[in-house]
Amino acid sequence: MDDDLAGLPIERKVRLLTGKTMWRTHADPALGLRELVMSDGPIGVRGEKWDERDHSLALPSPSALAATWDEELVRRLGAVLAAQARRKGVDVLLAPTINLHRSPVTGRHFECFSEDPVLTARIGVAFIEGVQSGGVAATAKHYVANDSETDRMTLDARVDERVLRELYLAPFEAAVEAGVWVVMAAYNAVNGTTMTENPLLAEPLKGAWGFDGVVVSDWGAVRSVAASANAPQDLVMPGPRSHWNLGLAEAVRSGEVPESALDEKIRRLLRLAERVSGPSSSESHDDRDLLREAVTASTVLLRNEDGLLPLSTVERVAVIGPNAAAVRFQGGGSAEVYPAAVVSPVDGLRAALDGVAEVVHSPGVRTTTKPTPLHRGNATHPVTGEPGVLVRILDADGAELLSEHRLTGRLPEPGRAEGERIAELQAVLHPDVSGDWELSFGAWGPVSLVVDGKTVIDEVIDVDTDDPATLYLDPAWRTVTVALEADKPVLLVARRQLAPDAPRASVLSADAPRGDDEFARAVELARTSDVAVVVVGTTDESESEGSDRATLALPGRQDELVRAVSAVNPRTVVVVNSGAPVLMPWRDEVPAVLLSWLPGQEGGVGLADVLLGAAEPGGRLPTTWPAEDVSAASVTPVDGRLEYSEGLDIGHRGWLRSGEEPAYWFGHGLGYTTWEYSEVLVEHGNRVRVRLSNSGLRAGREIVQVYLSRPTSEIQRPVLWLAGFAAVTAAPGEAVEAVVDLPERAFEHWADGGWQREVGPFDVLVGRSAGDIRVRSQSW
């Protein structure tokens, strides 16, 4: 191999280390190197295209996967993703995201696992093992301290070395130890140096940890030539244009970058190609039952007064809320996929109660302010009359080069054709109500919108961001108000110019006049039903990649809706459909609260299983949920710097330090039975045996959580910290024993360039959450 590399021209080496396309690397048959295909993401394998006609399975969000506290289940789900990747010809899955939930207001919270490094590491490793068992590379991202979205491309995270080692690097260390094949370097800087040039790529990643895989850049994160090439940054994405492509060959010739650095990067790329070319142990099949299991295992029962859940003896169920029929099954941004079908809470309950009870529905309120893309329910192809949108790609003279029938007005990637200059979207809109409709078109550059032959938009939308999530997925839009009549179709024709290598995202939208009638209807349905299930949640506007949240409050009038419904129906269950904490000012006013996260395509089926008692809600919180709003200061850089001033005290550690009480503690989650903890024994200093029994009337699963504390420590420590956990199952009245082996690292702290253990005893605390300790002992 050294001889082969020595004979390669420099330009050819550089070519191998820069992307060929948005999702592919270059091949070199002489080296035995084929193209490698990459794809997002953490809940499903989208593939190389943003095409709603190309379906993918949609798993629950990563925050939901962590809520299972179930490594074997996550490992099985990782294998499902590997099978999906193989089916789509994908070699490298750009997941998991193992950054921490440093702040509840982080916009990409749903795509990360947990606020705790131990839980994040264990769930992340299970995910990696599952994916790579199928011969597909997992990617541990985003290395490192990429824990917020505000100014994420440029912020400089200032993190103390001990904090970096004990918190933010810990999940990456575990991933490398587990044998992850790819690590992604983040956009941000850490302690003054952008991550694609940062010394942390050398030490500890490739040095002390011995990572032998490929370091790929986040898309567009390499912004230099020599500095990034001299760092252990191996592969620049995307292609075809990059800083390395434009200047690295000359930098090697001038001596700024040694040619041996390129050779080392290519060796790593060849090793990756060999790994993903091996045999696969995964087979693609229908995995909807596993996805359904993941929904029930991740659902967290936060409150259940008087045993309202599981529901019984119901004849009429009101399912209310903006997310009840249009469930938010995934987060916004680069991780989006297109499942063949999504089961909403309304659909799930109607199927489960078919022939048993009536299920009625009203959204009650509207929560979105963004335009709603055309869809198969309100738009038809202007030629064939089929549901959907006609997309035409035209040349500079307006001649048609390509025509395709799309199913939605939201098109991150309209079709491509040589000589293209214009993308045109045509659709017949079928208004179902009369009034002033809002028609919108989103794209970059010159845009126009014509309604039944009349031009209503004609202007230029300038690019005002360099964030890929906005450039390629969420372009700026222009809106006009047009009076339309119910059942009188109108033809919409939108055009935008296509520039070479420029973002192509185009979104044609239509929104009906807004009214308040649904609120009263929802309350009336609740009043006349045996039970009311109110599904509230976030939107793509309030929780998405590319921006942090200004508030944890639910958008719109959802809090008001919950209170109005519970006032007329004492049997009210609230289901929270979000990927991250939200405020619940009514949480003590309703008898039952469930957290369903962003549950993936089988969310409605799994929710029905939990509500009706076919399955127990198995989830425990991977993140502490605040009772009051949280300042955005923790995610807002000042003069480009973001100080991690809280040190080791993030999440539940910070709450314990302050002495304040959150709404719900890290680790909290009820079931449909109860548990009694009787004794904890510590053997050989690190084996913890916990005896407990199922004191309820149903079989159940319990997560036994072991924390450590050292009140007499001579160094600054958290009040307590998670050291390990284990799950047990038991029948009613059955006594069981949980065995938790604590790693040596749980007792260690970082000091003077290494891991050290303080002499003396540590308190061993065992409980159901960080705020609910049941038994305790000591370890020497």
Side-chain angles (χ1 to χ4, degrees):
M1 181 57 61
D2 288 340
D3 290 341
D4 291 340
L5 290 177
L8 284 184
I10 294 173
E11 285 81 5
R12 195 160 146 196
K13 293 181 180 182
V14 170
R15 181 174 178 268
L16 292 178
L17 301 174
T18 57
K20 176 183 178 181
T21 67
M22 180 67 75
W23 305 109
R24 285 180 180 252
T25 64
H26 286 280
D28 194 313
L31 289 177
L33 182 62
R34 63 178 176 84
E35 293 179 353
L36 298 178
V37 179
M38 305 183 184
S39 170
D40 295 314
I43 71 158
V45 185
R46 188 179 60 250
E48 296 180 84
K49 299 180 294 183
W50 289 85
D51 191 331
E52 72 284 354
R53 300 165 298 181
D54 184 14
H55 296 147
S56 307
L57 288 177
L59 280 62
S61 64
S63 52
L65 298 186
T68 68
W69 294 58
D70 189 335
E71 292 154 281
E72 180 54 34
L73 175 60
V74 172
R75 198 172 285 113
R76 290 160 60 202
L77 290 166
V80 167
L81 291 175
Q84 290 278 299
R86 287 280 186 169
R87 180 176 66 82
K88 292 197 171 195
V90 169
D91 303 296
V92 180
L93 189 66
L94 301 173
T97 300
I98 53 176
N99 301 115
L100 299 184
H101 293 170
R102 176 175 169 262
S103 169
V105 298
T106 299
R108 210 171 179 176
H109 200 291
F110 60 88
E111 201 173 320
C112 309
F113 290 123
S114 164
E115 71 185 24
D116 185 82
V118 171
L119 180 58
T120 296
R122 287 179 58 171
I123 297 299
V125 163
F127 186 102
I128 289 164
E129 290 174 344
V131 170
Q132 294 188 171
S133 72
V136 175
T139 305
K141 68 180 191 180
H142 309 86
Y143 188 82
V144 62
N146 183 220
D147 309 296
S148 55
E149 296 294 284
T150 303
D151 296 340
R152 64 174 179 157
M153 309 290 290
T154 57
L155 74 84
D156 179 13
R158 295 287 173 154
V159 195
D160 172 82
E161 185 180 7
R162 181 185 173 202
V163 174
L164 198 59
R165 290 281 186 161
E166 295 187 22
L167 288 183
Y168 301 101
L169 284 171
F172 289 95
E173 183 177 8
V176 172
E177 185 177 342
V180 71
W181 294 342
V182 180
V183 169
M184 180 184 288
Y187 289 126
N188 57 283
V190 172
N191 295 330
T193 306
T194 191
M195 277 311 305
T196 54
E197 304 169 12
N198 201 289
L200 290 169
L201 294 176
E203 288 295 343
L205 180 61
K206 288 186 176 180
W209 295 351
F211 176 61
D212 67 353
V214 169
V215 174
V216 64
S217 71
D218 204 341
W219 268 227
V222 168
R223 307 177 185 100
S224 66
V225 178
S228 56
N230 281 322
Q233 174 69 50
D234 299 316
L235 177 63
V236 176
M237 292 297 289
R241 295 175 63 84
S242 72
H243 285 79
W244 285 10
N245 178 274
L246 297 175
L248 183 51
E250 181 56 36
V252 173
R253 288 195 183 89
S254 68
E256 288 183 89
V257 177
E259 190 171 352
S260 60
L262 274 59
D263 294 345
E264 170 59 19
K265 300 175 196 299
I266 293 172
R267 289 189 190 96
R268 289 174 175 269
L269 193 62
L270 289 165
R271 184 180 297 127
L272 174 62
E274 182 178 10
R275 284 169 167 166
V276 299
S277 297
S280 169
S281 61
S282 299
E283 295 181 2
S284 183
H285 51 86
D286 190 341
D287 293 291
R288 288 177 294 175
D289 286 344
L290 180 58
L291 270 58
R292 179 177 184 170
E293 179 185 345
V295 174
T296 62
S298 63
T299 299
V300 182
L301 181 58
L302 296 174
R303 177 178 170 85
N304 192 22
E305 291 298 299
D306 301 322
L308 175 58
L309 294 178
L311 299 174
S312 60
T313 61
V314 293
E315 296 181 359
R316 178 177 160 101
V317 178
V319 186
I320 291 164
N323 293 36
V327 64
R328 189 159 185 247
F329 70 93
Q330 66 178 344
S334 61
E336 294 176 15
V337 295
Y338 301 102
V342 176
V343 184
S344 71
V346 172
D347 295 336
L349 278 168
R350 280 182 175 156
L353 293 173
D354 186 33
V356 176
E358 179 187 11
V359 175
V360 294
H361 164 64
S362 169
V365 297
R366 181 173 175 174
T367 55
T368 59
T369 59
K370 267 187 178 180
T372 306
L374 296 180
H375 52 82
R376 284 174 286 181
N378 65 4
T380 56
H381 191 291
V383 178
T384 67
E386 297 176 278
V389 176
L390 167 63
V391 178
R392 299 199 308 151
I393 304 301
L394 314 175
D395 66 14
D397 297 323
E400 182 178 290
L401 303 174
L402 173 70
S403 173
E404 55 183 3
H405 179 194
R406 302 297 293 263
L407 307 179
T408 172
R410 181 174 181 263
L411 304 169
E413 287 184 346
R416 294 177 180 271
E418 187 174 348
E420 63 182 19
R421 290 295 181 271
I422 297 169
E424 179 185 84
L425 284 65
Q426 290 191 28
V428 176
L429 172 65
H430 299 265
D432 56 351
V433 295
S434 298
D436 289 337
W437 282 66
E438 292 182 347
L439 306 180
S440 306
F441 187 43
W444 303 112
V447 301
S448 67
L449 176 62
V450 177
V451 180
D452 271 351
K454 181 181 178 181
T455 300
V456 294
I457 296 175
D458 185 8
E459 60 180 289
V460 176
I461 302 179
D462 294 324
V463 174
D464 58 0
T465 179
D466 61 355
D467 192 313
T470 303
L471 283 172
Y472 293 98
L473 302 176
D474 192 20
W477 68 86
R478 297 294 182 265
T479 300
V480 294
T481 301
V482 179
L484 301 178
E485 297 180 25
D487 302 322
K488 185 177 179 181
V490 293
L491 176 64
L492 309 183
V493 180
R495 284 191 172 192
R496 53 82 49 92
Q497 288 191 13
L498 296 172
D501 300 326
R504 303 166 59 82
S506 307
V507 188
L508 181 57
S509 306
D511 286 284
R514 300 171 186 244
D516 295 326
D517 296 345
E518 282 295 342
F519 192 100
R521 180 171 183 270
V523 174
E524 180 60 19
L525 289 180
R527 189 185 66 79
T528 58
S529 297
D530 299 313
V531 64
V533 178
V534 187
V535 186
V536 297
T538 56
T539 68
D540 283 349
E541 299 165 61
S542 61
E543 184 186 14
S544 183
E545 178 183 352
S547 62
D548 292 313
R549 296 194 284 170
T551 176
L552 299 183
L554 288 167
R557 299 172 63 193
Q558 294 184 87
D559 291 334
E560 183 182 350
L561 179 66
V562 169
R563 284 181 160 138
V565 167
S566 63
V568 300
N569 193 324
R571 302 183 74 206
T572 293
V573 181
V574 181
V575 178
V576 179
N577 174 208
S578 74
V582 297
L583 299 182
M584 296 176 284
W586 33 259
R587 66 186 182 278
D588 295 330
E589 303 168 20
V590 297
V593 182
L594 278 169
L595 172 56
S596 70
W597 305 101
L598 306 179
Q601 68 180 63
E602 301 301 316
V605 185
L607 177 62
D609 287 343
V610 169
L611 289 171
L612 302 177
E616 183 181 38
R620 303 292 186 270
L621 289 180
T623 289
T624 306
W625 281 46
E628 305 292 338
D629 223 338
V630 175
S631 168
S634 62
V635 296
T636 305
V638 176
D639 296 328
R641 293 167 55 130
L642 184 59
E643 301 286 347
Y644 281 41
S645 55
E646 70 286 345
L648 295 171
D649 288 327
I650 68 170
H652 60 283
R653 300 172 175 201
W655 286 97
L656 289 164
R657 178 72 64 194
S658 70
E660 298 179 9
E661 191 79 10
Y664 299 105
W665 285 100
F666 170 80
H668 172 71
L670 308 174
Y672 288 157
T673 189
T674 54
W675 296 86
E676 289 185 1
Y677 287 65
S678 57
E679 187 179 16
V680 56
L681 302 173
V682 180
E683 299 176 349
H684 310 299
N686 68 344
R687 171 159 286 188
V688 181
R689 295 185 180 273
V690 183
R691 294 174 183 168
L692 66 163
S693 60
N694 181 345
S695 55
L697 301 178
R698 284 180 55 131
R701 176 176 180 265
E702 175 74 332
I703 305 297
V704 177
Q705 302 164 38
V706 179
Y707 298 86
L708 293 178
S709 179
R710 189 174 167 91
T712 60
S713 177
E714 295 183 2
I715 64 170
Q716 180 70 36
R717 291 183 182 273
V719 175
L720 57 76
W721 61 95
L722 182 69
F725 60 89
V728 295
T729 57
E734 183 182 4
V736 290
E737 182 179 75
V739 179
V740 183
D741 288 320
L742 304 183
E744 183 63 24
R745 181 64 60 81
F747 299 90
E748 295 175 333
H749 64 279
W750 183 265
D752 301 325
W755 292 101
Q756 301 183 15
R757 175 169 175 163
E758 240 182 331
V759 176
F762 287 76
D763 290 346
V764 178
L765 314 173
V766 181
R768 305 195 74 241
S769 76
D772 184 6
I773 301 301
R774 298 297 179 92
V775 290
R776 62 184 64 215
S777 183
Q778 279 193 327
S779 172
W780 291 81

